[in-house]
Amino acid sequence: MPLQAHLANPFAMLLNAEAVLHEMHCSASLEKLAHKVHHPLDKVVKARLPAELADFDATVDAAIEELPPEPEIAETDFAGFDDLDTDGLQH
């Protein structure tokens, strides 16, 4: 499909990706643009927190590790709830 057809119907470009890539690689105006390849996942950047915020995070993390395990809930704990209506009232 010629370039003029793409300009007339920009949605046609969605159907012919090869033609779009070809036009991008051959475009003199795109070549003139400044460009840089970024690889944001290549290195891990840790956020620097203020000291008091880092201390608070460490305190919360330590408190979470010290929590007792949650108790198991048996089916018998829900006995009697089958008779309740959606508003929570027994009818």
Side-chain angles (χ1 to χ4, degrees):
M1 192 178 297
L3 181 60
Q4 290 77 20
H6 289 308
L7 294 176
N9 184 3
F11 295 106
M13 292 188 292
L14 296 172
L15 301 175
N16 194 353
E18 289 178 9
V20 173
L21 289 174
H22 174 73
E23 293 296 329
M24 286 173 49
H25 291 297
C26 297
S27 172
S29 56
L30 284 178
E31 280 296 319
K32 293 177 185 176
L33 292 175
H35 61 277
K36 183 177 179 182
V37 177
H38 294 276
H39 300 281
L41 300 177
D42 286 349
K43 59 182 176 180
V44 178
V45 178
K46 289 191 174 188
R48 295 184 182 161
L49 299 175
E52 63 185 39
L53 193 56
D55 291 341
F56 176 76
D57 284 350
T59 303
V60 170
D61 290 341
I64 290 173
E65 291 176 3
E66 294 173 4
L67 289 175
E70 293 186 19
E72 294 286 328
I73 299 176
E75 286 291 323
T76 56
D77 294 341
F78 296 106
F81 285 105
D82 295 337
D83 300 335
L84 296 180
D85 201 1
T86 56
D87 57 3
L89 299 175
Q90 195 165 9
H91 297 277

